[in-house]
Amino acid sequence: MMDEYDSRLMERALGAARSAIQNGENPIGCVLAVDGKVVAIGETRVACGGPACHGENSMIECLGHRIWSVASNAVLYSTLEPCLMCIGACINAGITKIYYGMDAVDGGGYALGAINAGLTNKLIIHGPTAHSQVVRLFQEYLTISRNEGGIQYARSLLAFHDTFHCKINKTYCKPYI
């Protein structure tokens, strides 16, 4: 559960996702905060930069070596559940806490047990925390995008949402059985 502080930072990530839509990308944005201050904002750049230009990777790359001076107190807020590649980048950067808005078909959270087995500083992931807002952003993206690869990915996420999510007490669950 997110408090008001975390909700404000997730709203900043949603703003980065809106910016991504304006740039012709899927609505995936993220924010890295340390002690309440935003130190970096990222958005996906897959359409223009290639398949590894996810928001989390772009943000960490932008910070460069400076990431290690802030990561131990840093919290990542991402509109979409980070994939294994982005979770790996977060671990390598020293980030240990992630909030995400919506589950993803290619999300890496399923592997958290195996990932944490080898870590001294365990990774903590909370989500989904902004599911309905992110669904609306992907629906908006589908009405304006001409990027066929992005459209296919957005459709797969929304189909995953429609097929596997059930609303229970205003929260969403992802069945693993």
Side-chain angles (χ1 to χ4, degrees), residues 111-127:
L112 189 59
I115 291 168
N116 276 338
L119 296 176
T120 302
N121 296 318
K122 306 297 185 204
L123 182 62
I124 300 167
I125 301 178
H126 300 282

Side-chain angles (χ1 to χ4, degrees), residues 2 6 9-10 13 29-34 40-42 55-57 59-60 71 73-82 86-87 89-90 95-101 123-126:
M2 292 198 315
D6 294 318
L9 290 166
M10 181 57 77
C30 57
V31 168
L32 189 68
V34 177
I41 298 174
E56 299 91 340
N57 281 350
M59 182 187 62
I60 290 168
N73 296 324
V75 180
L76 174 70
Y77 300 84
S78 180
T79 56
L80 193 65
E81 179 183 8
C86 292
I87 286 177
C90 289
I95 298 166
T96 59
K97 192 171 190 180
I98 299 172
Y99 286 92
Y100 69 87
L123 182 62
I124 300 167
I125 301 178
H126 300 282

Side-chain angles (χ1 to χ4, degrees), residues 10-80:
M10 181 57 77
E11 187 57 44
R12 295 282 305 268
L14 290 163
R18 289 181 197 97
S19 175
I21 291 175
Q22 293 171 354
N23 292 319
E25 298 280 355
N26 266 299
I28 304 167
C30 57
V31 168
L32 189 68
V34 177
D35 299 326
K37 291 185 178 182
V38 174
V39 296
I41 298 174
E43 59 186 66
T44 190
R45 295 282 185 205
V46 172
C48 66
C53 292
H54 294 193
E56 299 91 340
N57 281 350
S58 299
M59 182 187 62
I60 290 168
E61 186 176 327
C62 176
L63 283 170
H65 292 293
R66 294 172 292 175
I67 186 72
W68 290 308
S69 66
V70 299
S72 63
N73 296 324
V75 180
L76 174 70
Y77 300 84
S78 180
T79 56
L80 193 65

Side-chain angles (χ1 to χ4, degrees), residues 42-175:
E43 59 186 66
T44 190
R45 295 282 185 205
V46 172
C48 66
C53 292
H54 294 193
E56 299 91 340
N57 281 350
S58 299
M59 182 187 62
I60 290 168
E61 186 176 327
C62 176
L63 283 170
H65 292 293
R66 294 172 292 175
I67 186 72
W68 290 308
S69 66
V70 299
S72 63
N73 296 324
V75 180
L76 174 70
Y77 300 84
S78 180
T79 56
L80 193 65
E81 179 183 8
C83 68
L84 282 173
M85 174 181 67
C86 292
I87 286 177
C90 289
I91 291 168
N92 287 334
I95 298 166
T96 59
K97 192 171 190 180
I98 299 172
Y99 286 92
Y100 69 87
M102 181 174 133
D103 289 322
V105 293
D106 57 347
Y110 71 90
L112 189 59
I115 291 168
N116 276 338
L119 296 176
T120 302
N121 296 318
K122 306 297 185 204
L123 182 62
I124 300 167
I125 301 178
H126 300 282
T129 61
H131 186 88
S132 59
Q133 298 98 309
V134 179
V135 166
R136 282 192 298 273
L137 286 173
F138 274 98
Q139 290 168 336
E140 176 187 337
Y141 171 78
L142 286 175
T143 65
I144 61 173
S145 180
R146 295 188 190 327
N147 172 357
E148 190 55 39
I151 289 170
Q152 288 178 10
Y153 184 67
R155 284 182 180 150
S156 73
L157 287 172
L158 292 175
F160 178 70
H161 155 72
D162 291 342
T163 305
F164 295 107
H165 283 83
C166 53
K167 197 167 187 175
I168 301 173
N169 299 328
K170 298 185 180 180
T171 61
Y172 289 87
C173 63
K174 184 192 319 185

